[in-house]
Amino acid sequence: MNGNATTTHRNVALLSVTSLMAPLITTSEEIDRRLMPVLTRLKLPTGLLQRVAGVYERRNWGPNETFDDAAVKAGKIALKEAGIKPSDVGLLINTSVTRKHLEPSVAVRIHHGLGLPSSAINFDIANACLGFVNGMTLAAQLIDSGQIKYAVIIDGEDADEIQTNTIDRLGRPGIKRKDFMSEFASLTLGSGAAAAVLGPADAHPGGHRILGGVTRAATQFNGLCVGSVDGMFTDAKALLKGGMELVVSAWTEAKRDWSWSNMDRYIVHQVSDVHTNAIVKATGMDKTRVPLTYPTLGNVGPASIPITLSQEASKLQPGNRVLLMGVGSGLNTAMMELVW
């Protein structure tokens, strides 16, 4: 049966959201220089990342930094800003796409790093770039049900290896234009970390109410964007077409329960100019209310939405309505409304 899954929350607030930027900057001009031999051979122009994707820079970690250490740091800052003791946390959800190994979970390393109690449930959620919003929804449901009081949602991403592998592979003999374009999206990825703390709204009147939202699946498109540490391979045209069909379907049906045409901010998953412009056109949202971080940070996977929200937070006023929304590989879409 086609349709949205709709969730509403009665007593949940976002108490803090923080981000941690990787310190090293890799410019698109630098990537062009490294790819110059293959660009010349394939007769492709320089500046594609800037002109097509709108990505001018992305971040990378230093030699002694790791994505999970950064996630722990972001989590500690988020707990401090929320005024919540680690001992009071009942749930930790890690949503990182990046992982050093298949098991154990990334969450156990972060749980230990944050000094959370043994009673705090901890696990990973993997749903491509929608993981953070999905994690917030699940945590909100557990808070509403009274099973837990406070939750930490956390994400750390490291695009360094995939960036290096992609550039090395594209420089090999035999690479054709279609091969280059299928890996183009890998060159937009960046590194970073983010964390959020959720808790009961009635105990924190200064928090930002999470009202609920929708999700919708179009998993017939599961092969259009497939990624690993080796690279991310996409059928860009089919992915954009399928993604926009999914967004429009979810947006249209959501009108029965929600009114999102005049939000104060739209915090969308940060991908590219093409992706953002397509969403703006498909939904009719006001582009001036769509803050962008991908021009200088690239696509930081599931961390993109909380990073963008964190950077925009100081500009928001009490009572502002905020919609978090994105499309994740697979395909899935999610939209969540908050009141600041």
Side-chain angles (χ1 to χ4, degrees):
M1 182 173 66
N2 293 325
N4 293 344
T6 300
T7 305
T8 57
H9 305 299
R10 301 184 306 274
N11 184 39
V12 184
L14 174 68
L15 307 184
S16 67
V17 58
T18 63
S19 58
L20 190 66
M21 299 298 98
L24 305 182
I25 297 174
T26 301
T27 67
S28 292
E29 289 181 349
E30 179 182 341
I31 290 178
D32 273 349
R33 287 194 293 271
R34 295 167 67 183
L35 289 172
M36 188 58 68
V38 68
L39 291 174
T40 301
R41 182 171 61 81
L42 296 178
K43 294 182 171 60
L44 290 170
T46 59
L48 285 174
L49 286 163
Q50 299 93 315
R51 292 195 303 273
V52 176
V55 176
Y56 294 82
E57 299 174 352
R58 73 282 294 136
R59 298 296 188 100
N60 297 100
W61 299 112
N64 297 316
E65 297 173 305
T66 64
F67 77 96
D68 47 354
D69 282 341
V72 170
K73 290 178 183 177
K76 288 181 177 179
I77 296 170
L79 285 168
K80 183 177 181 180
E81 290 187 359
I84 303 302
K85 298 177 182 178
S87 58
D88 291 331
V89 174
L91 173 67
L92 167 73
I93 299 178
N94 166 69
T95 69
S96 308
V97 170
T98 303
R99 57 182 59 246
K100 296 176 181 177
H101 35 62
L102 293 177
E103 59 178 62
S105 70
V106 178
V108 296
R109 164 74 176 88
I110 298 172
H111 180 282
H112 177 69
L114 291 177
L116 301 184
S118 60
S119 57
I121 307 164
N122 61 97
F123 52 82
D124 296 346
I125 281 184
N127 194 21
C129 295
L130 288 183
F132 205 95
V133 177
N134 295 152
M136 290 177 66
T137 298
L138 178 57
Q141 291 171 332
L142 289 173
I143 292 169
D144 261 341
S145 69
Q147 300 300 306
I148 61 169
K149 191 170 184 180
Y150 297 106
V152 177
I153 316 302
I154 208 159
D155 189 283
E157 300 298 341
D158 186 346
D160 297 15
E161 185 175 0
I162 189 173
Q163 189 181 98
T164 299
N165 290 343
T166 299
I167 292 173
D168 288 347
R169 184 168 46 254
L170 291 177
R172 296 173 185 170
I175 290 293
K176 299 178 181 179
R177 274 196 177 213
K178 67 176 183 178
D179 302 318
F180 187 96
M181 297 314 297
S182 74
E183 297 197 54
F184 183 75
S186 297
L187 302 175
T188 69
L189 300 177
S191 304
V197 177
L198 277 60
D202 57 3
H204 299 273
H208 315 298
R209 289 291 297 269
I210 299 176
L211 301 185
V214 303
T215 63
R216 190 182 183 103
T219 54
Q220 66 269 29
F221 300 120
N222 66 82
L224 297 182
C225 181
V226 179
S228 69
V229 293
D230 289 327
M232 187 166 68
F233 304 87
T234 64
D235 181 338
K237 290 184 179 179
L239 186 64
L240 183 64
K241 183 176 183 293
M244 290 309 102
E245 290 175 357
L246 176 60
V247 166
V248 170
S249 297
W251 181 271
T252 302
E253 185 171 319
K255 291 179 181 179
R256 297 186 308 194
D257 303 300
W258 307 92
S259 178
W260 290 334
S261 61
N262 193 32
M263 305 297 287
D264 294 291
R265 293 293 190 285
Y266 297 94
I267 307 297
V268 302
H269 174 46
Q270 302 289 304
V271 181
S272 68
D273 281 349
V274 173
H275 177 270
T276 302
N277 291 339
I279 284 185
V280 168
K281 182 179 180 180
T283 60
M285 66 177 65
D286 184 346
K287 191 176 180 179
T288 65
R289 302 180 185 183
V290 184
L292 305 178
T293 56
Y294 63 78
T296 56
L297 299 179
N299 178 353
V300 198
S304 287
I305 287 177
I307 285 174
T308 306
L309 179 60
S310 173
Q311 294 198 0
E312 192 68 12
S314 63
K315 303 174 187 176
L316 295 172
Q317 302 297 321
N320 279 171
R321 298 174 65 211
V322 179
L323 187 68
L324 313 182
M325 63 183 297
V327 179
S329 301
L331 291 169
N332 286 286
T333 188
M335 305 172 188
M336 171 183 279
E337 181 176 350
L338 291 75
V339 177
W340 210 250

